[in-house]
Amino acid sequence: MSAKRPLEVVGQPRRRVDARAKVTGQTLFADDLSMPRMLHCKLLRSPHPHAIIEAIDISRAAAYPGVKLVLTGKDFPVPFGIMPVSQDEYPLAPERVRYVGDSVAAVIARDEKTAEEALLLIEVTYRALPTISSPEEGLAQPMPRIHDYGEQGNIHRNQSYEFGDVEAALANSDHVFEDLFFYEGDTHMALEQQASLASIDGDGKLTLATSAQNPHYLHRQLSLVLQMPASQIRVIAVQNGGGFGGKCDPAGHEMVVSKAALMLGRPVKICLTRQEVFYQHRGRHPVLMKFRTGVTKDGKLTAMHLQTLLDGGAYGSHGPASTFYTGVLTPVTYELPRFKFDACRVFTNKPACGPKRGHGTPQPRFGQEVQLDKIAEKLGLDPAEMRLNMATKANSLTSNWLGIGSNGLAECIRQVVERSGWKDKHGKLPEGRGIGIAASTYMCGAGVSIYWNKMPHSGVQLLLDRSGQVTVFCGATEVGQGSDDVLASIIAEVLGISTSQIRCVTGDTGITPIDLGSYSSRVTIMMGNAAMQAASRVRELITAAVIEPLETTPEQVVMSQGRVFAADDPNKGMSFVEAVVLAETKFGTLGTVGNYSPPKPPGKFKGSGVGPSPAYSFSACVVETEVDVATGLIHIEKVWIAHDIGQSINPVHVRGQVIGGVYMGLGEALMEEQVFRRLPAKLSNALVHKIPSLLEYKTLTSADMPEVEVMLIEEPDPNCPFGAKEAGQGPLLPVMPAVANAIWDAVGVRIDEVPITPDKVLRALKLKRAGKNPRVGPEYFPDVPYPEPVFVLPPGEGGDGKESKKLESMPANSLAEVSTS
Amino acid sequence: MMRLPWFNYRSPKSVAEAARILAAEGRDAMLIAGGTDLLPNMKRRQQTPATLVSLRQVGGLKDVVNGRGLTLGAGLTLSEVVNTPALKDSCGYRALHQAAAQVASPHLRNMGTLGGNLCLDTRCLYYNQNEDWRRAIDFCMKCNGETCWVATSSKRCMAVSSTDTAPALISLGAKVRLVSAAGDRELELNDLYQNDGTEYLTRQPDEILTAVSLPDLSGWKSTYWKLRRRGSFDFPILGVAAAVRAAPDGTVLDARIVLGAVSSRPLMTEAGGLLLGGKLTDEAIAAAGKKATSAAKPLDNTDLDLYWRKDVVSSFVGYALREIRGDDMSATRLRIMRQL
Amino acid sequence: MSVVTDKEVQRRVHMTLQVNGEEIEVSFAPYKTLLEVLREDLGLTGTKHGCELGECGACAVLIDGEPLLSCLTLAVECEGRAIETIEGLAQGTQLHPLQEAFADLGGAQCGYCTPGAVMTAKALLDKEPSPTSQQIKEAMSGNLCRCTGYQQIVESVEKAATCCRSAERGAA
Ligand SMILES: Cc1cc2nc3c(=O)[nH]c(=O)nc-3n(C[C@H](O)[C@H](O)[C@H](O)COP(=O)(O)OP(=O)(O)OC[C@H]3O[C@@H](n4cnc5c(N)ncnc54)[C@H](O)[C@@H]3O)c2cc1C
Ligand code: SF4
Ligand code: FES
Ligand code: FES
């Protein structure tokens, strides 16, 4: 429509739009809010991991001076859950508690301390039930069931997919590698502890201001639980002090304060303690994995059979999606002609697992990339070369029907190899020092919404007026990742103004168009595309209004640096404000909308909705380490990471996301773990979170963080706004396997599980000295009753993306030698 | 927000006044110095004194007397201890300097005091938890419960002595002054501790630790090595303090090796004795390491694997003795402890 | 040990605090820490909290110039001490060089750790105008950040140190 010009805002390092508020302490997080007559809420939580609630006596608590209301499960008859297929949570447990920390009752009082004191006066009679602490136990012990829904016994989800005849391909491979890996659970640990403030507006409607990544989904669930029309509820996602997936699920405490505010007609606030944040969890699933991978002599993959077993915790949460994610992205990085994937999620009596940065994919990525390292070792190939030789290509389809658009993977690998001096180091550093590589991919938004519908995934509304002020409304949620800045940048770029001229109004279901939320790395691309559309529509209006006074054609109109002018005669022009005045004069009040829905995924089989994305980001990482052979202590020297971002909207913050991802990845590789403790069964039924504190849940401090060198690869993706892909999750993924591979290079031991702690390294070193297999990791994979697979022919074998019948394969004469590495 | 329980607050101006209050209030009163140990414990309801007797306004507790030896007031913050010139420049006192510099985090060192560090409550992963967490395990022997969950047949609590400065100071032969309304006494710091996780101090509840005195240590070299997961915040899961006096030819005349965080009290080991009369050869160092290891009894109540924690004792004793021998250990120190 | 229920003990205390150079009278429940009084009784919510147990540094403020944890400081012990919080750092609308640098270089992502980190860095620069990056990492090692991976925080402090130094030179 109008003339092209170089990018002015996008790609420039800039102070983000919300930075000033953050450095002055003006940013208000949920617990910073207060209102006149505000009351405070505290929750009573179960001390039992699994029990029936036989009776609750709240009379003493209700009579305690200062207490205004006590709520129990009776007050919340309707269950909820983020996924339509797992509506299994209650704000307060009505009759059964499923983990230590499950909430049972709530006290609302004049201040937090009074509420806390009154909690001790609530008397609950429990009848303890047998507990399940691991998926293995859950498989072995179908009764009692933690939930009375799910596949069978304590299995929540169970599924199998096969793309091409995997056994036949394995049988025809030169080698088949079989490896087990374990990925321990860990948690988001956003520095902010979730808080929520519910109040009744002057017009009688409910407003909930809360720490939430997905206000839209919360809005729907609130309406359900409170049995109130959604139009009477407004959810404001306040600035989040970090999210990482931990604030994606609607949470019981949000429902509790809403209900209390409705009953009391006064504002009610809750702020979780750190321990309660550990209980709310929804973090990384512990996953046991088995990989059987076939390769040719020269290191090309032939087929893979991946099996995963997830420890789901006590509730469904995002579990059904997480289960898929422990497999579906595996074929996106390297050409893999055939792929079979079985996954099973089991309920246990622990806080529910859910989505954490990389949602379900870091676990198989760890296994896959460590196994590749072993394969390269065995075949005598350079692990970086081997990866390069089989990297997927742009505009290709994977065996499981995912469409890859732009693809910077090979370039990422080349860059980290080059910058780290890989060729001079790998296999060549002195004993105790080593270097390792791994690569990865992540989605830029999920192809389908969490509940089934055909409406847009993101909507943006623009309002301009004669003052030249531009206000943008969008439901997207700032969790620290910089989504407001992305929104402002894209609009500023299209309109040729600076981000400081734009006011962002976001994450408020009462006044912003719907955006599904800050999850699955979807915001930049989905909100960005919607913003592009809205801004382009305004640009058209402005263009139409100025061509006459400028005596030019629409094709010649340029909007740049706050001016609107003709490309062929730049002196002929006007200020942006003047142009807006002309447009408002001509068209009346100026407003446009834009929206975005992702393209239809290529797969057509049931379950093909999880995994497709409009675009995939890629990363590669090299880690250099030093391992002390006497103690097993691990020191990370330096990390090189290349990330295919497509196009940076703001390189300062892309780099920040990448380094932040590396930091969290190092934490997961070396120390972070959400682990539980059982007491001796004869004496106690306890099953407790071992370390629910910031002191004992170990994360890196500034003193522990190594230098990170970041390379941004810009291969613009046509599906993305200005070509920009995601950076929030992808860069975490290659870090854990790169660490494991570096430790192998340093001291020749394999730690096939995370976290990789010094005691495990020393144990493996002792095995090595004793001439045994120098490996620490899981030893066996239990019998999981996976179902018959859904069989789909891969694109390369003439499939049409639909489920089909598996042809009776020739019982191939096996040439393969099975090696367990 | 975790909140403190209600308490009475008293703010005496002198040691004598504080001692009088303690004597009158009995076991319901506790001293508070920096509060960095006591306040978290109170928020978690591990300790719920009815009265807090603050040492903040008490005069004289920050005195440093540098004569024959060195006397440090118990009220000095750990940062003040670290910045005491007499410590920084002395090879003999270096262990204390290094230990104090590695306590907790920079902010906590600006708050926590030397006296508080020496009287630090013992720690255990079953104990340093919120009240409702402890309710879920039906509490434990150290507080409100019957059983020790770390060793269910144990008659005593095995919570871990987790102070960094105590092993260092014991290796330096420090004495402490305790003052009560009834009088005052000086005792070897080593005798302040006993191997019981609940009654870990021989201090009477009405006694105030006012000062720590160190002998003149010219001719000595000392060092402190701390094992912890991260370069900040974490309590020691092993501390090795070593102090050695050697003749000009390197023959060891005196040696003390003290372990922290492997027992309910700082452990003076017999490893030092093995070094006497010999030189700090690799063999002698290895033998000392082995001896120290046999004394360490880590349990499954702190961070990291207990067997591994025992396994690495001899390496850490080795780092310490090699540093004293004069090896350049700075790279190792930086890598392991993030300390320059 | 006994539980305190004495009404006398539960009486609010009244005192004058010196916050960001101003004397403020405030009354509060005596169990409160400085963190609670700042946030709840004085409305200064710039100071954050992530644990209230000394394990994160989000609540760091300066007291008499030293970075301390407000969550472990009894408010009753703060009379007569100079308290500085993030709200008092800018001069009017002029940001402190640390604030400028954190804003420009990505030192703040979600911004939750930022007030504590900036105040801690201020104390460092007041004492040591030319810190090495190792010194910065050490000084900031009591401030957990879950977003940045620290590198951009360290870079922000380095940049601010340079700006402070050249401002000094300019003034001299
Ligand atoms: C996150 C975190 C990490 C920590 N890490 C470490 C660590 O790595 N190493 C370490 O050693 N400590 C650590 N600590 C504990 C603590 O900060 C230090 O031990 C500090 O020195 C305690 O001193 P204080 O003045 O704050 O003690 P307070 O809390 O005031 O007192 C501690 C105990 O000593 C008693 N007491 C205090 N002063 C006296 C006195 N003069 N006479 C008699 N009794 C007295 C008190 O009654 C109380 O029982 C950590 C604390 C936290 C919160
Ligand atoms: S050692 Fe035993 S008694 Fe002592 S605190 Fe731990 S569990 Fe309790
Ligand atoms: S809130 Fe004070 S240190 Fe975490
Ligand atoms: S910027 Fe989010 S915690 Fe530091």
Side-chain angles (χ1 to χ4, degrees), chain A residues 134-149:
Chain A
S134 69
E136 289 84 350
E137 272 178 40
L139 290 172
Q141 187 185 317
M143 289 306 224
R145 295 182 78 181
I146 294 177
H147 287 281
D148 50 18
Y149 82 106

Side-chain angles (χ1 to χ4, degrees), chain B residues 124 126-127 140-142 147-150 157-159 301:
Chain B
C124 169
Y126 293 86
Y127 168 66
C140 78
M141 192 192 283
K142 183 161 160 83
T147 312
C148 169
W149 295 112
V150 179
C157 163
M158 326 262 257
N301 56 355

Side-chain angles (χ1 to χ4, degrees), chain A residues 183 186 284 356-357 658-672 700 705 731-737 739 754, chain C residues 146:
Chain A
Y183 203 107
D186 51 57
R284 186 96 61 231
K356 182 188 169 195
R357 208 172 197 173
V658 174
I659 300 171
V662 170
Y663 145 83
M664 199 175 276
L666 288 174
E668 296 190 17
L670 300 171
M671 53 183 80
E672 296 190 27
L700 277 76
M705 186 64 194
L732 170 143
L733 286 149
V735 177
M736 296 72 67
V739 168
V754 295
Chain C
R146 198 58 172 152

Side-chain angles (χ1 to χ4, degrees), chain A residues 274-308:
Chain A
R274 179 53 61 181
Q275 178 181 289
E276 292 180 296
V277 176
F278 279 98
Y279 289 161
Q280 176 60 23
H281 188 44
R282 319 290 149 145
R284 186 96 61 231
H285 285 75
V287 181
L288 182 64
M289 294 161 277
K290 178 174 172 180
F291 285 77
R292 283 171 65 226
T293 306
V295 286
T296 62
K297 287 196 286 293
D298 50 354
K300 292 258 167 77
L301 302 177
T302 56
M304 179 190 286
H305 182 190
L306 167 60
Q307 297 181 303
T308 67

Side-chain angles (χ1 to χ4, degrees), chain A residues 18-52:
Chain A
D18 50 0
R20 192 177 197 285
K22 286 178 176 170
V23 300
T24 54
Q26 279 171 290
T27 302
L28 291 178
F29 298 90
D31 193 41
D32 299 338
L33 306 175
S34 69
M35 293 178 89
R37 291 178 29 92
M38 183 169 83
L39 299 170
H40 297 263
C41 174
K42 291 291 279 183
L43 298 175
L44 180 71
R45 291 177 180 269
S46 167
H48 295 283
H50 199 189
I52 303 285

